[in-house]
């Protein structure tokens, strides 16, 4: 990727993300503002505060009917007293909920005043209940209770109508708001789609750059820069964990003869076959690279000398058994390998590579097609 491509694309991505962030912020702001205006008041809690007490009217009437039959029933008196205790609690909850909502006071003032009058009558009703427990007739209690039940029923009915009317208005507002949010989301999706196309283009270019800067085009293996990048992280990991790190340097024996006798295209084919065989024999955690020409390198993290020797012997044997048909030329192929395992004084790739390369030189001088361990 050159600079002329990189700068415009980066500017386009920056502008796209800025627009996306701005639209998202506007959408969120509009939504939050409308929610605060329309739903900021806790209608759910208020509806519950109005619906639940409506049961009190039915309970109050049924309890009063029971007093006609058995006014001295202690369980009935206790139940009625508990009901009289709960009614003011719910009235306070409704009053608080109404004050925290966006209703105009004129919309609910008459209903709330009626509930306040009920609240003022409760102490006298509880006093009458105490007299009944002492043996007084229930007529006065029943008369007061029916009046309270009528007041509660009318107040709750009006409040319920008010809430339903407001809920209908909210549905209209929220439907319009939902359409607006849907349009904004559509615009955002279109922007995201455009940005994704740009990112795909950038990713494609980035892959090309990686292939050019880190990969060997002929074999598909990493190059020297590729293995150096891995080596730096592997040495840092080794210093933290104390786990072993081994390196093998490989060089094809008499490879120049292949190029001289059969031409460079045949030599390239041999290198590709060798690279594929190398990848087949190493482990997934190993790092394989072509350092140049017919020289290759394998980094083996968390592998001691014994384990690394097993891997490279397997590679050497695999290469020696490649057939003429696999290689594409009527020659045999062997490889010499130098192996070194990092010790305390090996703090960099160059130091470990120097030891492995020295072992490779010894393998060459000792007759090739062998492994020498430093």
């Amino acid at each position: 990727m050159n600079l002329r491509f990189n700068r415009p694309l980066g500017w386009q991505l920056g502008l796209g993300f800025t627009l996306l962030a701005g639209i998202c912020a506007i959408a969120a702001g509009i939504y939050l503002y409308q929610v605060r205006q329309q739903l900021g008041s806790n209608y759910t809690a208020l509806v519950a505060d109005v619906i639940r007490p409506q049961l009190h009217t039915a309970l109050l009437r049924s309890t009063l009917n029971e007093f006609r039959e058995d006014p001295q029933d202690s369980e009935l008196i206790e139940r009625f007293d508990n009901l009289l205790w709960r009614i003011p609690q719910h009235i306070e909850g409704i009053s608080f909920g109404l004050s925290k909502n966006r209703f105009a006071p004129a919309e609910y003032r008459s209903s709330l005043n009626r509930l306040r009058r009920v609240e003022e009558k409760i102490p006298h009703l509880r006093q009458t209940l105490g007299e009944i427990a002492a043996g007084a007739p229930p007529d006065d209690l029943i008369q007061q209770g029916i009046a309270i039940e009528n007041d509660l029923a009318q107040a709750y009915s009006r409040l319920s109508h008010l809430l339903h009317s407001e809920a209908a208005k909210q549905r209209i507002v929220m439907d319009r708001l939902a359409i607006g949010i849907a349009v904004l989301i559509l615009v955002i999706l279109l922007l995201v789609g455009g940005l994704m196309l740009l990112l795909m283009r950038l990713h494609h270019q980035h892959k090309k750059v990686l292939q050019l800067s880190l990969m060997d085009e002929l074999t598909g293996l990493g190059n020297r820069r590729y293995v150096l990048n891995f080596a730096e992280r592997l040495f840092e990991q080794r210093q933290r964990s104390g786990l072993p790190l081994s390196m093998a340097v490989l060089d094809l024996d008499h490879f120049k003869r292949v190029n001289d006798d059969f031409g460079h295209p045949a030599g390239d084919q041999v290198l590709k076959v060798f690279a594929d065989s190398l990848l087949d024999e190493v482990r997934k955690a190993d790092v394989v690279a072509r350092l140049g020409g017919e020289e290759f390198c394998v980094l083996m993290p968390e592998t001691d000398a014994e384990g690394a020797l097993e891997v490279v012997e397997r590679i050497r044997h695999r290469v020696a058994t490649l057939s003429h048909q696999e290689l594409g030329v009527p020659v045999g192929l062997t490889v010499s390998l130098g192996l070194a395992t990092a010790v305390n004084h090996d703090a960099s790739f160059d130091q470990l590579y120097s030891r492995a390369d020295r072992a490779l030189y010894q393998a060459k001088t000792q007759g090739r097609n062998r492994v020498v361990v430093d």
Side-chain angles (χ1 to χ4, degrees):
M1 184 186 300
N2 54 46
L3 291 177
R4 287 181 299 175
F5 169 80
N6 199 17
R7 287 178 179 173
L9 184 58
W11 179 82
Q12 291 169 14
L13 287 173
L15 177 61
F17 277 113
T18 301
L19 289 174
L20 179 60
I23 291 175
C24 288
I26 293 172
I30 293 174
Y31 184 80
L32 290 175
Y33 176 79
Q34 292 294 334
V35 167
R36 183 166 184 176
Q37 292 297 314
Q38 301 297 328
L39 298 177
S41 49
N42 193 348
Y43 285 105
T44 302
L46 183 56
V47 168
D49 286 339
V50 171
I51 295 299
R52 283 199 304 265
Q54 287 181 337
L55 299 175
H56 294 164
T57 58
L59 290 174
L60 187 59
R61 181 170 291 276
S62 64
T63 307
L64 291 172
N65 290 333
E66 292 181 42
F67 268 109
R68 289 189 174 96
E69 299 175 1
D70 189 5
Q72 267 70 46
D73 185 351
S74 60
E75 182 180 348
L76 177 62
I77 293 174
E78 182 179 355
R79 181 154 37 95
F80 192 74
D81 184 67
N82 180 264
L83 179 61
L84 294 179
W85 177 83
R86 281 186 290 161
I87 289 174
Q89 302 296 321
H90 286 290
I91 291 175
E92 289 299 323
I94 292 173
S95 176
F96 178 79
L98 290 171
S99 67
K100 295 300 181 181
N101 277 271
R102 58 187 297 273
F103 297 122
E107 295 178 309
Y108 61 82
R109 182 179 294 116
S110 61
S111 298
L112 188 59
N113 288 339
R114 190 180 292 271
L115 291 176
R116 290 298 186 192
R117 288 195 297 269
V118 168
E119 194 174 12
E120 292 171 359
K121 295 176 182 178
I122 293 295
H124 183 264
L125 192 61
R126 298 186 75 174
Q127 181 180 355
T128 305
L129 180 65
E131 295 173 356
I132 292 175
D139 297 340
D140 189 27
L141 176 73
I142 294 173
Q143 184 178 1
Q144 295 178 49
I146 291 175
I148 288 176
E149 188 267 336
N150 288 331
D151 286 337
L152 289 176
Q154 292 185 37
Y156 290 148
S157 177
R158 290 181 181 179
L159 289 176
S160 178
H161 175 74
L162 174 63
L163 290 174
H164 281 88
S165 175
E166 189 64 26
K169 295 177 184 178
Q170 284 185 25
R171 280 195 295 271
I172 295 174
V173 173
M174 295 308 295
D175 287 343
R176 293 173 180 173
L177 180 61
I179 293 173
I181 293 297
V183 172
L184 287 174
I185 291 175
L186 178 61
V187 174
I188 291 172
L189 289 176
L190 291 175
L191 282 175
V192 169
L195 289 173
M196 289 300 296
L197 290 176
L198 290 175
L199 287 173
M200 289 174 63
R201 181 184 174 191
L202 177 63
H203 179 67
H204 180 68
Q205 294 295 328
H206 181 63
K207 287 178 65 177
K208 287 185 176 180
V209 171
L210 283 178
Q211 290 174 351
L212 292 174
S213 64
L214 297 177
M215 298 296 171
D216 176 60
E217 186 176 358
L218 176 63
T219 62
L221 300 178
N223 58 20
R224 186 178 185 88
R225 181 181 297 177
Y226 172 83
V227 77
L228 284 174
N229 288 343
F230 269 98
E232 183 178 355
R233 292 197 294 269
L234 291 176
F235 271 95
E236 291 177 357
Q237 177 183 333
R238 173 182 171 271
Q239 290 176 356
R240 291 194 304 268
S241 64
L243 295 173
L245 173 64
S246 297
M247 176 190 293
V249 179
L250 306 81
D251 190 87
L252 295 177
D253 298 327
H254 303 301
F255 181 72
K256 186 175 181 300
R257 296 177 185 175
V258 177
N259 285 329
D260 292 343
D261 295 344
F262 303 100
H264 287 283
D268 290 346
Q269 175 63 23
V270 169
L271 288 175
K272 292 178 184 178
V273 173
F274 172 75
D276 291 340
S277 302
L278 187 57
L279 289 175
D280 288 341
E281 298 302 328
V282 298
R283 303 159 305 179
K284 290 183 178 180
D286 297 335
V287 181
V288 185
R290 181 188 179 194
L291 301 181
E294 64 270 25
E295 185 177 355
F296 296 78
C297 171
V298 179
L299 269 175
M300 292 167 278
E302 301 182 14
T303 307
D304 57 17
E306 183 178 355
L309 180 59
E310 180 181 344
V311 174
V312 296
E313 279 290 359
R314 190 167 63 242
I315 293 171
R316 187 189 65 80
H317 182 266
R318 170 69 180 274
V319 173
T321 57
L322 289 172
S323 65
H324 296 172
Q325 289 77 14
E326 290 176 296
L327 292 172
V329 291
V331 296
L333 186 67
T334 60
V335 62
S336 298
L337 306 97
L339 178 63
T341 300
V343 294
N344 293 334
H345 64 272
D346 292 319
S348 68
F349 171 85
D350 290 336
Q351 290 176 321
L352 187 58
Y353 172 78
S354 177
R355 291 176 51 213
D357 188 58
R358 184 167 60 246
L360 172 64
Y361 177 77
Q362 294 176 9
K364 291 287 189 181
T365 58
Q366 292 176 15
R368 296 181 171 84
N369 189 24
R370 65 188 65 237
V371 178
V372 172
V373 180
D374 179 80

